[in-house]
Amino acid sequence: MNDYVIAPPPQPAVPVAGGGRFPVRRIYCVGRNYAEHAREMGHDPNAEPPFFFAKPADAIVTDGAAVPYPPQTTNLHHEIELVAAIGAGGRDIAVGEAIGHVWGYAVGIDLTRRDLQAWAKKGAKPWEIAKGFDRSAPIGTMVRAAGVPQPLRGRIELSVNGEPRQGADLGDMTWDLPHVIAELSRYFELCPGDLIFTGTPAGVGPVVPGDRLLGSIAGIGSVAATIA
Ligand code: MN
């Protein structure tokens, strides 16, 4: 029975290679999961472990779509990231079993209002307005985990207007994906439909209207977005 008093909002979903769509429940993100990026942001990766934050599920933008330059910022940054999609939920997941909870993978961009993030850090304020704004999570076509034999290694890179900006290897992560899943599941019960943006390598920087972003991860795929 549909007794909603307004029309229910649409279910955010990510297209899957070969057909179908992956419905998105929550979007978790890892902060400072590559040492070089932690250093470029002014932090000591040996002193401070990675951590978690989140975006709303409807922040996703499907592959190739335009992203309007968001309001309330003059310093919008790109962050290319591996995205893992949870197909089997759980809490207190063991590191050795974590990969088995992944349904698929995609390439995502964690768009960030860097000036608002700096304001939040300085004042010990929450990060939502810096990270969880509308259309802040472009994501490419998802591939099934069965088609990704080696999700812990592979070149991850992003270019803007054809110029290389970010480049590293997934193996450079401070917490590799099994540790990300295990650690996250100590704080939240993970459920089918959850996405995890696993952090960005060094080379983050600003984008402006008209810029064309192209990110890729070897063996997984790509993501394209244009800032409008
Ligand atoms: Mn990020």
Side-chain angles (χ1 to χ4, degrees), residues 28-31 33 48-53 86 90-99 101 174-190 196 198:
Y28 296 107
C29 304
V30 183
N33 201 22
E48 303 173 67
F51 55 89
F52 299 107
F53 60 95
I86 298 295
R91 54 164 65 101
D92 295 322
I93 295 168
V95 170
E97 297 176 357
I99 286 291
H101 290 258
T174 299
W175 285 345
D176 66 13
L177 181 59
H179 284 84
V180 165
I181 292 169
E183 189 71 10
L184 183 61
S185 74
R186 298 176 59 207
Y187 293 91
F188 302 96
E189 179 178 4
L190 299 184
I196 307 172
T198 57

Side-chain angles (χ1 to χ4, degrees), residues 29-31 37 53 79 81 110 112 131 197 199-200:
C29 304
V30 183
H37 171 63
F53 60 95
E79 296 190 356
E81 310 202 358
D110 168 17
T112 302
K131 288 288 196 177
F197 279 59
T200 198

